[in-house]
Amino acid sequence: MKLGWSQYEIGVKLHISQNAYYKLETGKTKLDLQRFIEITNLLEIKPEKLLQ
């Protein structure tokens, strides 16, 4: 939200569909380490900040 991107836009940047990103965001799909790092890099968030 901070960057003003929609789920669709984030999905495009991650090379996945909006629906696939929605499922990651809502916990319906398990998030693996590689995808977690891709998302934190894309959103410019330090991974350790989300693990606190």
Side-chain angles (χ1 to χ4, degrees):
M1 291 176 78
K2 192 175 190 179
L3 296 173
W5 293 337
S6 67
Q7 287 179 339
Y8 173 79
E9 291 168 310
I10 293 172
V12 168
K13 292 173 188 299
L14 294 172
H15 307 287
I16 60 175
S17 69
Q18 178 272 328
N19 191 47
Y21 182 72
Y22 165 80
K23 288 180 179 180
L24 286 170
E25 194 174 79
T26 59
K28 294 180 181 186
T29 300
K30 191 179 270 189
L31 181 65
D32 64 20
L33 182 59
Q34 179 181 343
R35 184 68 73 190
F36 174 74
I37 291 171
E38 289 174 358
I39 292 170
T40 58
N41 287 338
L42 178 66
L43 299 178
E44 301 174 357
I45 300 170
K46 292 183 179 185
E48 59 273 9
K49 185 169 183 165
L50 295 176
L51 298 174
Q52 295 177 350

